[in-house]
Amino acid sequence: MAVSDHVDLEQFMSGLKRRNPGETEFHQAVYEVASNVYEYIQDKEIYHEMQILRRIAEPDRIIIFRVCWEDDNGNIRVNRGYRVQNNNAIGPYKGGLRFHPSVNLSILKFLAFEQTFKNSLTDLPMGGGKGGSDFNPKGKSSNEVMRFCQSFMTELYRHVGDDIDVPAGDIGVGAREIGYLFGQYKRLTNRFSGVLTGKGMEFGGSPIRKEATGYGAVYMMQDMLARRGDAIDGKKCAISGAGNVAIYAAEKIIQLGGKVVTMSDSSGYIYDANGIDADKLNFIIDLKVNRRRGLSEYAKEFGADYFANERPWNVPCELVFPCATQNEVSRAEAQSLIKNGCIGVSEGANMPVEQDGIHDFVAAKVLFAPSKAANAGGVAISGLEMSQNSVRITWSVDELEQRLRKIMLDIHDRCVEYGSQAGSDYVDYVRGANVAGFIKVANAMVAYGVV
Ligand code: NDP
Ligand code: 2IT
Protein backbone atom coordinates (compact mmCIF):
# COMPACT_ATOMS: atom_id res chain seq x y z
CA MET A 1 0.00 0.00 0.00
CA ALA A 2 1.37 3.42 -0.92
CA VAL A 3 1.83 5.91 1.90
CA SER A 4 -0.79 8.18 0.34
CA ASP A 5 -3.40 5.39 0.74
CA HIS A 6 -3.13 5.36 4.53
CA VAL A 7 -6.22 6.27 6.48
CA ASP A 8 -5.45 9.44 8.39
CA LEU A 9 -6.03 10.05 12.10
CA GLU A 10 -9.50 11.52 11.63
CA GLN A 11 -10.62 8.61 9.44
CA PHE A 12 -9.16 6.17 11.94
CA MET A 13 -11.05 7.83 14.80
CA SER A 14 -14.33 8.04 12.93
CA GLY A 15 -14.09 4.30 12.17
CA LEU A 16 -13.32 3.56 15.82
CA LYS A 17 -16.30 5.63 16.99
CA ARG A 18 -18.60 3.94 14.49
CA ARG A 19 -17.55 0.49 15.68
CA ASN A 20 -17.72 1.41 19.38
CA PRO A 21 -20.69 3.77 19.68
CA GLY A 22 -21.12 5.78 22.85
CA GLU A 23 -17.88 4.55 24.45
CA THR A 24 -16.54 8.01 25.15
CA GLU A 25 -13.76 7.08 27.59
CA PHE A 26 -12.50 4.45 25.15
CA HIS A 27 -12.52 6.98 22.28
CA GLN A 28 -10.64 9.47 24.48
CA ALA A 29 -7.90 6.99 25.43
CA VAL A 30 -7.41 5.76 21.86
CA TYR A 31 -7.30 9.30 20.49
CA GLU A 32 -4.60 10.32 22.94
CA VAL A 33 -2.36 7.46 21.84
CA ALA A 34 -3.26 7.57 18.14
CA SER A 35 -2.53 11.27 17.77
CA ASN A 36 1.09 10.68 18.78
CA VAL A 37 1.55 7.27 17.19
CA TYR A 38 0.21 8.41 13.81
CA GLU A 39 2.85 11.10 13.68
CA TYR A 40 5.59 8.63 14.64
CA ILE A 41 4.64 5.93 12.11
CA GLN A 42 4.09 8.35 9.25
CA ASP A 43 7.13 7.01 7.39
CA LYS A 44 7.14 3.49 8.87
CA GLU A 45 5.26 1.48 6.30
CA ILE A 46 5.24 -1.87 8.10
CA TYR A 47 3.03 -0.60 10.95
CA HIS A 48 0.47 0.67 8.44
CA GLU A 49 0.60 -2.46 6.33
CA MET A 50 0.11 -4.67 9.37
CA GLN A 51 -2.70 -2.43 10.73
CA ILE A 52 -1.03 -2.46 14.14
CA LEU A 53 -2.88 0.39 15.84
CA ARG A 54 -6.23 -0.75 14.46
CA ARG A 55 -5.52 -4.20 15.92
CA ILE A 56 -4.37 -2.94 19.35
CA ALA A 57 -7.60 -0.91 19.55
CA GLU A 58 -9.70 -4.06 18.98
CA PRO A 59 -9.53 -6.16 22.19
CA ASP A 60 -8.44 -9.77 21.66
CA ARG A 61 -11.57 -10.79 23.56
CA ILE A 62 -14.12 -9.49 26.06
CA ILE A 63 -15.84 -11.69 28.61
CA ILE A 64 -19.09 -10.43 30.15
CA PHE A 65 -20.97 -12.44 32.75
CA ARG A 66 -23.74 -12.38 35.33
CA VAL A 67 -22.72 -12.35 38.98
CA CYS A 68 -25.45 -13.46 41.42
CA TRP A 69 -24.93 -13.28 45.16
CA GLU A 70 -27.01 -13.18 48.32
CA ASP A 71 -26.97 -10.14 50.62
CA ASP A 72 -27.15 -10.32 54.43
CA ASN A 73 -30.95 -10.08 54.35
CA GLY A 74 -31.28 -13.07 52.04
CA ASN A 75 -32.09 -10.99 48.94
CA ILE A 76 -30.70 -12.20 45.62
CA ARG A 77 -28.58 -9.50 43.99
CA VAL A 78 -27.37 -9.40 40.39
CA ASN A 79 -24.32 -7.55 39.04
CA ARG A 80 -22.39 -7.65 35.80
CA GLY A 81 -18.80 -8.90 35.62
CA TYR A 82 -16.26 -8.15 32.88
CA ARG A 83 -12.78 -9.02 31.73
CA VAL A 84 -11.33 -7.19 28.75
CA GLN A 85 -8.32 -9.10 27.40
CA ASN A 86 -6.90 -6.39 25.20
CA ASN A 87 -3.57 -7.62 23.91
CA ASN A 88 -1.11 -10.39 24.86
CA ALA A 89 1.62 -9.74 22.28
CA ILE A 90 4.34 -9.31 24.91
CA GLY A 91 3.08 -11.40 27.83
CA PRO A 92 0.01 -12.75 29.62
CA TYR A 93 -2.87 -10.26 29.94
CA LYS A 94 -2.24 -8.21 33.08
CA GLY A 95 -4.25 -5.47 34.76
CA GLY A 96 -6.52 -4.68 37.65
CA LEU A 97 -10.14 -5.32 38.59
CA ARG A 98 -12.35 -2.37 39.44
CA PHE A 99 -15.50 -2.67 41.59
CA HIS A 100 -17.46 0.58 41.34
CA PRO A 101 -21.05 1.40 40.33
CA SER A 102 -19.76 3.50 37.39
CA VAL A 103 -18.03 0.51 35.75
CA ASN A 104 -19.12 -0.13 32.18
CA LEU A 105 -17.60 -1.48 28.99
CA SER A 106 -16.26 1.88 27.81
CA ILE A 107 -14.34 2.43 31.04
CA LEU A 108 -12.87 -1.07 31.08
CA LYS A 109 -11.92 -0.91 27.39
CA PHE A 110 -10.12 2.39 27.94
CA LEU A 111 -8.30 0.96 30.96
CA ALA A 112 -7.31 -2.26 29.15
CA PHE A 113 -6.08 -0.28 26.13
CA GLU A 114 -4.00 2.04 28.34
CA GLN A 115 -2.68 -0.91 30.31
CA THR A 116 -1.24 -2.44 27.13
CA PHE A 117 1.08 0.56 26.62
CA LYS A 118 1.79 1.01 30.34
CA ASN A 119 2.87 -2.59 30.76
CA SER A 120 5.09 -2.31 27.70
CA LEU A 121 6.76 0.76 29.23
CA THR A 122 7.78 -1.25 32.31
CA ASP A 123 9.80 -3.49 29.96
CA LEU A 124 8.47 -6.56 31.81
CA PRO A 125 6.69 -9.34 29.88
CA MET A 126 3.05 -8.36 30.44
CA GLY A 127 0.17 -7.85 28.02
CA GLY A 128 -2.80 -5.58 28.76
CA GLY A 129 -6.15 -6.39 30.34
CA LYS A 130 -8.67 -4.97 32.78
CA GLY A 131 -11.87 -6.13 34.40
CA GLY A 132 -14.31 -5.57 37.17
CA SER A 133 -17.94 -5.08 37.99
CA ASP A 134 -20.60 -2.46 38.67
CA PHE A 135 -20.79 -3.95 42.20
CA ASN A 136 -20.50 -1.21 44.83
CA PRO A 137 -18.51 -2.43 47.84
CA LYS A 138 -19.48 0.70 49.83
CA GLY A 139 -21.80 -0.02 52.71
CA LYS A 140 -21.54 -3.79 52.19
CA SER A 141 -20.52 -6.09 55.03
CA SER A 142 -17.32 -8.12 54.64
CA ASN A 143 -19.45 -11.24 54.28
CA GLU A 144 -21.36 -9.68 51.40
CA VAL A 145 -18.11 -8.64 49.73
CA MET A 146 -16.80 -12.20 50.21
CA ARG A 147 -19.90 -13.78 48.64
CA PHE A 148 -19.72 -11.36 45.72
CA CYS A 149 -16.01 -12.07 45.14
CA GLN A 150 -16.61 -15.82 45.29
CA SER A 151 -19.42 -15.63 42.77
CA PHE A 152 -17.36 -13.33 40.50
CA MET A 153 -14.41 -15.75 40.52
CA THR A 154 -16.68 -18.75 39.92
CA GLU A 155 -17.03 -17.48 36.35
CA LEU A 156 -13.71 -15.64 35.95
CA TYR A 157 -11.52 -18.62 36.90
CA ARG A 158 -12.12 -20.25 33.48
CA HIS A 159 -10.52 -17.29 31.72
CA VAL A 160 -7.47 -16.50 33.89
CA GLY A 161 -4.29 -18.27 34.94
CA ASP A 162 -0.67 -17.48 35.76
CA ASP A 163 0.37 -17.80 32.07
CA ILE A 164 -2.95 -16.56 30.64
CA ASP A 165 -4.30 -13.52 32.46
CA VAL A 166 -3.29 -12.20 35.88
CA PRO A 167 -5.71 -9.69 37.46
CA ALA A 168 -4.93 -7.42 40.44
CA GLY A 169 -6.58 -4.56 42.35
CA ASP A 170 -7.89 -1.17 41.23
CA ILE A 171 -10.64 1.10 42.58
CA GLY A 172 -12.69 -0.82 45.16
CA VAL A 173 -10.43 -3.88 44.99
CA GLY A 174 -7.73 -4.00 47.66
CA ALA A 175 -6.09 -6.61 49.87
CA ARG A 176 -9.40 -7.88 51.30
CA GLU A 177 -10.99 -8.50 47.89
CA ILE A 178 -7.82 -10.07 46.43
CA GLY A 179 -7.78 -12.48 49.40
CA TYR A 180 -11.38 -13.59 48.75
CA LEU A 181 -10.79 -13.88 44.98
CA PHE A 182 -7.60 -15.89 45.43
CA GLY A 183 -9.21 -18.18 48.00
CA GLN A 184 -12.03 -19.01 45.61
CA TYR A 185 -9.66 -19.55 42.64
CA LYS A 186 -7.63 -21.96 44.73
CA ARG A 187 -10.74 -23.82 45.87
CA LEU A 188 -12.12 -24.16 42.33
CA THR A 189 -8.90 -25.22 40.63
CA ASN A 190 -7.00 -26.90 43.45
CA ARG A 191 -3.97 -24.94 42.25
CA PHE A 192 -1.79 -22.57 44.24
CA SER A 193 -0.42 -20.30 41.55
CA GLY A 194 0.30 -16.63 40.94
CA VAL A 195 -3.05 -16.03 39.26
CA LEU A 196 -3.56 -12.67 41.00
CA THR A 197 -1.14 -10.02 42.23
CA GLY A 198 -1.48 -7.77 45.24
CA LYS A 199 -1.84 -10.88 47.39
CA GLY A 200 -1.24 -10.93 51.15
CA MET A 201 2.35 -11.58 52.22
CA GLU A 202 1.30 -14.93 53.72
CA PHE A 203 0.19 -16.31 50.35
CA GLY A 204 2.62 -15.14 47.69
CA GLY A 205 2.33 -11.36 47.82
CA SER A 206 5.29 -9.12 47.08
CA PRO A 207 6.89 -6.58 49.40
CA ILE A 208 6.05 -2.97 48.44
CA ARG A 209 3.24 -3.86 46.00
CA LYS A 210 0.78 -1.73 47.94
CA GLU A 211 3.16 1.24 48.04
CA ALA A 212 4.44 0.87 44.47
CA THR A 213 1.93 2.90 42.44
CA GLY A 214 1.99 5.97 44.69
CA TYR A 215 5.75 5.82 45.23
CA GLY A 216 6.29 5.39 41.49
CA ALA A 217 4.18 8.46 40.63
CA VAL A 218 6.31 10.52 43.02
CA TYR A 219 9.57 9.07 41.63
CA MET A 220 8.43 10.13 38.16
CA MET A 221 7.92 13.67 39.42
CA GLN A 222 11.30 13.53 41.16
CA ASP A 223 12.99 12.50 37.90
CA MET A 224 11.24 15.16 35.80
CA LEU A 225 12.29 17.84 38.33
CA ALA A 226 15.83 16.48 38.65
CA ARG A 227 16.34 16.84 34.90
CA ARG A 228 15.83 20.57 35.47
CA GLY A 229 18.00 20.63 38.59
CA ASP A 230 14.95 20.92 40.85
CA ALA A 231 13.47 18.73 43.64
CA ILE A 232 10.27 17.95 45.58
CA ASP A 233 11.73 19.22 48.86
CA GLY A 234 9.84 22.28 50.10
CA LYS A 235 7.17 22.18 47.37
CA LYS A 236 3.46 22.48 48.08
CA CYS A 237 1.62 19.43 46.69
CA ALA A 238 -2.06 18.83 45.96
CA ILE A 239 -3.24 15.20 45.91
CA SER A 240 -6.71 13.91 45.06
CA GLY A 241 -8.01 10.59 46.33
CA ALA A 242 -7.41 8.92 49.67
CA GLY A 243 -7.11 5.35 48.45
CA ASN A 244 -4.22 3.03 47.75
CA VAL A 245 -2.45 5.26 45.23
CA ALA A 246 -3.04 8.61 46.98
CA ILE A 247 -1.94 7.37 50.42
CA TYR A 248 1.45 6.10 49.28
CA ALA A 249 2.02 9.09 47.01
CA ALA A 250 1.51 11.23 50.11
CA GLU A 251 3.85 9.04 52.16
CA LYS A 252 6.68 9.36 49.62
CA ILE A 253 6.19 13.12 49.16
CA ILE A 254 6.41 13.60 52.94
CA GLN A 255 9.60 11.48 53.05
CA LEU A 256 11.11 13.67 50.32
CA GLY A 257 10.32 16.92 52.15
CA GLY A 258 7.27 18.02 50.14
CA LYS A 259 4.23 19.55 51.83
CA VAL A 260 0.94 17.73 51.12
CA VAL A 261 -1.91 20.24 51.51
CA THR A 262 -4.89 18.36 50.06
CA MET A 263 -6.40 14.88 49.80
CA SER A 264 -9.93 13.97 48.72
CA ASP A 265 -12.53 11.24 48.49
CA SER A 266 -15.80 10.87 46.63
CA SER A 267 -17.52 13.24 49.09
CA GLY A 268 -15.12 16.21 49.08
CA TYR A 269 -11.60 17.36 49.90
CA ILE A 270 -9.56 18.49 52.88
CA TYR A 271 -7.18 21.45 52.82
CA ASP A 272 -4.59 21.44 55.57
CA ALA A 273 -2.47 24.60 55.33
CA ASN A 274 0.00 23.15 57.86
CA GLY A 275 0.57 20.09 55.69
CA ILE A 276 -0.45 16.47 56.19
CA ASP A 277 2.50 14.92 58.06
CA ALA A 278 3.27 11.24 58.71
CA ASP A 279 1.10 11.07 61.87
CA LYS A 280 -1.86 12.71 60.19
CA LEU A 281 -1.42 10.35 57.24
CA ASN A 282 -1.63 7.40 59.64
CA PHE A 283 -4.97 8.80 60.82
CA ILE A 284 -6.13 8.88 57.17
CA ILE A 285 -4.99 5.28 56.59
CA ASP A 286 -6.94 4.11 59.63
CA LEU A 287 -9.97 6.21 58.65
CA LYS A 288 -10.12 5.13 54.98
CA VAL A 289 -8.62 1.62 54.98
CA ASN A 290 -9.68 0.19 58.36
CA ARG A 291 -12.79 2.14 59.27
CA ARG A 292 -13.91 2.90 55.67
CA ARG A 293 -15.29 6.34 56.54
CA GLY A 294 -15.25 9.85 55.00
CA LEU A 295 -12.43 12.43 55.08
CA SER A 296 -14.63 15.05 56.80
CA GLU A 297 -13.57 13.35 60.06
CA TYR A 298 -9.98 14.40 59.35
CA ALA A 299 -11.06 18.05 59.25
CA LYS A 300 -12.77 17.69 62.64
CA GLU A 301 -9.79 15.89 64.18
CA PHE A 302 -7.10 18.35 62.99
CA GLY A 303 -9.02 21.60 62.46
CA ALA A 304 -8.40 21.57 58.69
CA ASP A 305 -10.82 22.93 56.06
CA TYR A 306 -13.27 20.55 54.44
CA PHE A 307 -15.01 21.27 51.13
CA ALA A 308 -17.96 18.93 50.53
CA ASN A 309 -18.58 17.81 46.94
CA GLU A 310 -15.62 19.77 45.59
CA ARG A 311 -12.28 18.87 44.02
CA PRO A 312 -8.96 20.27 45.21
CA TRP A 313 -7.88 22.02 42.01
CA ASN A 314 -8.37 25.66 42.98
CA VAL A 315 -5.73 25.49 45.68
CA PRO A 316 -2.39 27.26 45.04
CA CYS A 317 0.32 24.59 44.76
CA GLU A 318 3.38 23.71 42.71
CA LEU A 319 2.98 19.96 42.25
CA VAL A 320 -0.22 18.07 41.45
CA PHE A 321 -0.94 14.36 41.86
CA PRO A 322 -4.45 13.37 40.69
CA CYS A 323 -4.87 9.92 42.26
CA ALA A 324 -8.65 9.26 42.35
CA THR A 325 -10.27 8.51 38.98
CA GLN A 326 -10.59 9.34 35.25
CA ASN A 327 -11.51 12.84 34.05
CA GLU A 328 -11.30 14.33 37.53
CA VAL A 329 -9.39 17.43 36.30
CA SER A 330 -11.38 19.49 33.80
CA ARG A 331 -9.87 21.93 31.36
CA ALA A 332 -11.01 24.89 33.53
CA GLU A 333 -9.38 23.26 36.57
CA ALA A 334 -6.16 22.67 34.62
CA GLN A 335 -6.12 26.36 33.72
CA SER A 336 -6.74 27.34 37.31
CA LEU A 337 -3.83 25.13 38.44
CA ILE A 338 -1.52 26.72 35.86
CA LYS A 339 -2.60 30.19 36.97
CA ASN A 340 -1.99 29.27 40.61
CA GLY A 341 1.63 28.26 40.07
CA CYS A 342 1.58 24.56 39.12
CA ILE A 343 4.89 23.45 37.57
CA GLY A 344 4.41 19.67 37.53
CA VAL A 345 1.66 17.04 37.24
CA SER A 346 2.10 13.29 37.77
CA GLU A 347 -1.02 11.25 37.02
CA GLY A 348 -1.37 8.58 39.73
CA ALA A 349 -4.89 7.73 38.54
CA ASN A 350 -5.64 6.48 35.01
CA MET A 351 -6.50 9.33 32.58
CA PRO A 352 -7.44 11.80 35.35
CA VAL A 353 -6.90 14.94 33.23
CA GLU A 354 -9.28 15.70 30.37
CA GLN A 355 -7.74 15.84 26.92
CA ASP A 356 -7.95 19.65 26.57
CA GLY A 357 -6.48 20.04 30.05
CA ILE A 358 -3.45 17.94 29.05
CA HIS A 359 -3.06 20.11 26.00
CA ASP A 360 -3.06 23.26 28.16
CA PHE A 361 -0.50 21.85 30.60
CA VAL A 362 1.81 20.87 27.74
CA ALA A 363 1.31 24.22 25.99
CA ALA A 364 2.21 25.99 29.26
CA LYS A 365 5.35 23.81 29.47
CA VAL A 366 4.27 22.29 32.78
CA LEU A 367 6.10 19.00 33.44
CA PHE A 368 3.35 16.49 32.71
CA ALA A 369 3.75 12.74 33.34
CA PRO A 370 0.80 10.86 31.78
CA SER A 371 -0.72 7.98 33.69
CA LYS A 372 0.67 5.18 31.54
CA ALA A 373 4.17 6.30 32.61
CA ALA A 374 3.50 7.87 36.01
CA ASN A 375 1.48 5.06 37.60
CA ALA A 376 3.32 2.11 36.01
CA GLY A 377 5.14 1.36 39.28
CA GLY A 378 2.17 -0.64 40.59
CA VAL A 379 1.92 -3.03 37.69
CA ALA A 380 5.74 -3.21 37.57
CA ILE A 381 5.83 -4.64 41.09
CA SER A 382 2.91 -6.88 40.08
CA GLY A 383 5.15 -8.16 37.27
CA LEU A 384 7.86 -8.84 39.83
CA GLU A 385 5.29 -10.56 42.07
CA MET A 386 4.60 -12.89 39.12
CA SER A 387 8.34 -13.57 38.74
CA GLN A 388 8.71 -14.31 42.45
CA ASN A 389 5.69 -16.65 42.35
CA SER A 390 7.09 -18.51 39.33
CA VAL A 391 10.30 -19.35 41.13
CA ARG A 392 8.66 -19.55 44.59
CA ILE A 393 10.83 -17.03 46.35
CA THR A 394 10.32 -13.63 47.98
CA TRP A 395 12.80 -10.82 47.43
CA SER A 396 13.64 -8.38 50.20
CA VAL A 397 12.08 -4.95 50.57
CA ASP A 398 15.43 -3.37 49.66
CA GLU A 399 15.77 -5.42 46.51
CA LEU A 400 12.26 -4.49 45.33
CA GLU A 401 12.63 -0.82 46.23
CA GLN A 402 15.78 -0.63 44.12
CA ARG A 403 14.11 -2.40 41.23
CA LEU A 404 11.08 -0.09 41.39
CA ARG A 405 13.30 2.97 41.50
CA LYS A 406 15.25 1.79 38.45
CA ILE A 407 12.13 0.85 36.47
CA MET A 408 10.64 4.32 37.04
CA LEU A 409 13.89 6.03 36.04
CA ASP A 410 14.07 3.89 32.89
CA ILE A 411 10.48 4.84 32.01
CA HIS A 412 11.33 8.49 32.55
CA ASP A 413 14.37 8.19 30.30
CA ARG A 414 12.42 6.40 27.57
CA CYS A 415 9.84 9.21 27.64
CA VAL A 416 12.68 11.72 27.26
CA GLU A 417 14.10 9.74 24.34
CA TYR A 418 10.84 9.77 22.39
CA GLY A 419 9.35 13.00 23.75
CA SER A 420 12.21 15.45 23.18
CA GLN A 421 11.85 18.01 20.46
CA ALA A 422 14.59 19.63 18.42
CA GLY A 423 15.47 23.12 19.55
CA SER A 424 13.65 22.92 22.87
CA ASP A 425 14.54 21.69 26.31
CA TYR A 426 10.91 20.86 27.04
CA VAL A 427 10.03 17.16 27.00
CA ASP A 428 6.57 16.12 25.85
CA TYR A 429 6.25 13.12 28.18
CA VAL A 430 2.80 12.34 26.76
CA ARG A 431 4.21 11.75 23.29
CA GLY A 432 7.27 10.03 24.72
CA ALA A 433 5.17 7.53 26.70
CA ASN A 434 2.76 6.83 23.85
CA VAL A 435 5.48 6.18 21.29
CA ALA A 436 7.83 4.24 23.59
CA GLY A 437 4.93 2.08 24.83
CA PHE A 438 3.75 1.39 21.28
CA ILE A 439 7.05 0.25 19.77
CA LYS A 440 7.59 -2.94 21.74
CA VAL A 441 4.02 -4.20 21.32
CA ALA A 442 4.01 -3.24 17.64
CA ASN A 443 7.28 -5.04 16.87
CA ALA A 444 6.07 -8.21 18.59
CA MET A 445 2.87 -8.09 16.55
CA VAL A 446 4.81 -7.60 13.33
CA ALA A 447 6.90 -10.68 14.21
CA TYR A 448 3.75 -12.82 14.65
CA GLY A 449 2.30 -11.91 11.26
CA VAL A 450 -1.45 -11.78 10.86
CA VAL A 451 -2.90 -13.52 13.93
P1 NDP B 1 -9.00 3.06 45.80
O1 NDP B 1 -10.34 2.43 45.67
O2 NDP B 1 -8.05 2.55 46.80
O3 NDP B 1 -9.15 4.63 46.07
C1 NDP B 1 -9.86 5.45 45.19
C2 NDP B 1 -9.96 6.83 45.80
O4 NDP B 1 -10.52 7.72 44.84
C3 NDP B 1 -10.87 6.88 47.01
O5 NDP B 1 -10.43 7.90 47.87
C4 NDP B 1 -12.22 7.23 46.39
O6 NDP B 1 -13.11 7.88 47.28
C5 NDP B 1 -11.81 8.16 45.27
N1 NDP B 1 -12.73 8.06 44.13
C6 NDP B 1 -13.04 6.95 43.42
N2 NDP B 1 -13.94 7.23 42.47
C7 NDP B 1 -14.18 8.55 42.58
C8 NDP B 1 -15.01 9.45 41.86
N3 NDP B 1 -15.78 9.02 40.84
N4 NDP B 1 -15.00 10.75 42.24
C9 NDP B 1 -14.25 11.18 43.27
N5 NDP B 1 -13.45 10.37 43.99
C10 NDP B 1 -13.40 9.08 43.63
O7 NDP B 1 -8.38 3.01 44.33
P2 NDP B 1 -6.84 3.16 43.90
O8 NDP B 1 -6.15 4.13 44.77
O9 NDP B 1 -6.29 1.81 43.72
O10 NDP B 1 -7.02 3.76 42.43
C11 NDP B 1 -7.08 5.17 42.19
C12 NDP B 1 -6.73 5.45 40.73
O11 NDP B 1 -5.41 4.94 40.47
C13 NDP B 1 -7.62 4.78 39.69
O12 NDP B 1 -7.69 5.61 38.56
C14 NDP B 1 -6.86 3.51 39.33
O13 NDP B 1 -7.21 3.03 38.06
C15 NDP B 1 -5.43 4.04 39.36
N6 NDP B 1 -4.37 3.05 39.52
C16 NDP B 1 -4.35 2.19 40.57
C17 NDP B 1 -3.30 1.31 40.72
C18 NDP B 1 -3.17 0.42 41.90
O14 NDP B 1 -2.12 -0.23 42.02
N7 NDP B 1 -4.12 0.37 42.81
C19 NDP B 1 -2.23 1.22 39.72
C20 NDP B 1 -2.31 2.23 38.69
C21 NDP B 1 -3.36 3.08 38.60
P3 NDP B 1 -13.93 7.04 48.39
O15 NDP B 1 -12.93 6.73 49.46
O16 NDP B 1 -15.00 7.97 48.84
O17 NDP B 1 -14.43 5.82 47.71
O1 2IT C 1 -4.06 0.48 36.51
C1 2IT C 1 -3.20 -0.30 36.94
O2 2IT C 1 -2.05 -0.33 36.48
C2 2IT C 1 -3.55 -1.18 38.06
N1 2IT C 1 -4.67 -1.09 38.56
C3 2IT C 1 -2.59 -2.21 38.56
C4 2IT C 1 -2.59 -3.41 37.66
C5 2IT C 1 -1.80 -4.59 38.15
O3 2IT C 1 -1.91 -5.63 37.49
O4 2IT C 1 -1.07 -4.51 39.14
Side-chain angles (χ1 to χ4, degrees):
M1 184 165 60
V3 173
S4 57
D5 291 342
H6 296 155
V7 292
D8 65 20
L9 176 60
E10 295 315 316
Q11 284 172 297
F12 172 76
M13 284 309 300
S14 67
L16 183 103
K17 287 178 183 169
R18 188 170 28 78
R19 291 188 301 277
N20 302 279
E23 296 181 352
T24 51
E25 293 85 359
F26 182 54
H27 304 163
Q28 181 184 343
V30 175
Y31 182 76
E32 191 213 286
V33 170
S35 52
N36 291 140
V37 164
Y38 256 82
E39 196 189 306
Y40 173 74
I41 64 174
Q42 223 172 13
D43 55 352
K44 298 177 179 65
E45 185 58 26
I46 188 73
Y47 300 134
H48 293 280
E49 199 184 300
M50 298 298 280
Q51 295 279 319
I52 298 297
L53 197 57
R54 167 84 169 78
R55 286 160 64 193
I56 300 178
E58 189 68 42
D60 288 356
R61 114 185 21 83
I62 299 176
I63 300 131
I64 303 183
F65 48 98
R66 183 180 63 230
V67 186
C68 293
W69 55 283
E70 195 177 325
D71 70 20
D72 287 345
N73 298 320
N75 301 310
I76 305 301
R77 310 283 286 261
V78 184
N79 287 97
R80 190 170 298 168
Y82 305 82
R83 188 71 183 165
V84 179
Q85 296 181 332
N86 195 69
N87 186 293
N88 67 353
I90 60 169
Y93 304 107
K94 180 82 195 87
L97 296 171
R98 179 177 291 190
F99 292 169
H100 193 272
S102 64
V103 162
N104 59 36
L105 198 51
S106 171
I107 288 179
L108 295 180
K109 280 169 71 175
F110 115 63
L111 288 164
F113 178 81
E114 282 284 294
Q115 196 82 44
T116 303
F117 298 89
K118 182 195 310 191
N119 293 1
S120 163
L121 278 172
T122 68
D123 220 13
L124 297 170
M126 300 181 288
K130 200 85 185 190
S133 174
D134 58 359
F135 173 73
N136 184 0
K138 266 201 198 124
K140 305 287 190 301
S141 70
S142 278
N143 274 331
E144 288 176 324
V145 171
M146 179 185 75
R147 287 194 292 274
F148 174 80
C149 288
Q150 290 175 342
S151 181
F152 183 86
M153 185 52 88
T154 300
E155 174 61 33
L156 188 69
Y157 88 99
R158 301 170 215 284
H159 312 287
V160 296
D162 50 359
D163 285 326
I164 302 170
D165 183 354
V166 182
D170 194 79
I171 292 177
V173 178
R176 175 182 64 172
E177 291 72 21
I178 294 291
Y180 294 146
L181 291 163
F182 186 74
Q184 181 72 352
Y185 180 86
K186 190 169 67 55
R187 174 162 70 171
L188 290 166
T189 60
N190 197 24
R191 292 188 72 223
F192 193 107
S193 71
V195 66
L196 292 159
T197 60
K199 299 185 292 297
M201 286 307 298
E202 303 79 7
F203 48 97
S206 173
I208 77 159
R209 173 61 190 89
K210 74 175 188 306
E211 293 88 350
T213 313
Y215 280 16
V218 177
Y219 292 149
M220 181 60 65
M221 181 71 87
Q222 202 182 18
D223 293 337
M224 292 195 299
L225 289 168
R227 197 177 157 275
R228 287 187 174 177
D230 204 348
I232 289 176
D233 189 23
K235 299 244 175 359
K236 210 184 260 187
C237 303
I239 298 181
S240 65
N244 176 256
V245 180
I247 285 169
Y248 292 101
E251 183 172 278
K252 185 51 72 181
I253 290 169
I254 296 165
Q255 284 171 12
L256 294 174
K259 184 172 181 183
V260 177
V261 290
T262 71
M263 290 184 76
S264 71
D265 61 20
S266 52
S267 305
Y269 81 90
I270 47 165
Y271 175 72
D272 189 335
N274 298 320
I276 298 169
D277 61 18
D279 287 342
K280 291 174 179 176
L281 187 62
N282 280 334
F283 177 89
I284 292 179
I285 295 174
D286 182 51
L287 181 70
K288 296 300 302 181
V289 181
N290 303 331
R291 293 190 280 137
R292 296 176 191 273
R293 299 175 64 88
L295 272 183
S296 55
E297 293 186 27
Y298 175 100
K300 281 190 212 119
E301 179 79 13
F302 298 110
D305 296 327
Y306 178 70
F307 299 87
N309 303 316
E310 285 189 42
R311 306 193 284 212
W313 309 133
N314 290 313
V315 166
C317 61
E318 290 144 298
L319 305 179
V320 175
F321 297 86
C323 297
T325 192
Q326 66 277 351
N327 292 328
E328 56 162 322
V329 183
S330 68
R331 179 174 210 177
E333 288 166 327
Q335 288 171 347
S336 152
L337 286 165
I338 295 167
K339 190 164 63 79
N340 283 328
C342 168
I343 60 161
V345 180
S346 183
E347 294 188 318
N350 283 306
M351 206 169 75
V353 180
E354 286 180 358
Q355 193 100 48
D356 293 344
I358 297 180
H359 184 265
D360 289 346
F361 279 124
V362 172
K365 296 203 169 356
V366 169
L367 296 172
F368 188 91
S371 44
K372 60 175 73 64
N375 71 33
V379 75
I381 296 297
S382 278
L384 299 181
E385 183 172 329
M386 291 165 67
S387 308
Q388 293 170 82
N389 292 167
S390 296
V391 283
R392 297 194 158 81
I393 54 166
T394 304
W395 291 326
S396 68
V397 172
D398 280 356
E399 168 85 32
L400 285 153
E401 275 187 344
Q402 281 172 32
R403 285 179 183 257
L404 174 64
R405 192 67 196 86
K406 176 157 189 325
I407 288 171
M408 294 312 298
L409 183 59
D410 289 348
I411 293 175
H412 171 271
D413 292 351
R414 236 169 276 138
C415 291
V416 173
E417 186 183 343
Y418 291 98
S420 294
Q421 33 218 2
S424 166
D425 192 39
Y426 181 72
V427 175
D428 183 346
Y429 288 88
V430 178
R431 179 154 57 88
N434 285 334
V435 172
F438 171 79
I439 291 172
K440 186 176 173 190
V441 180
N443 289 346
M445 290 173 73
V446 169
Y448 300 146
V450 182
V451 289

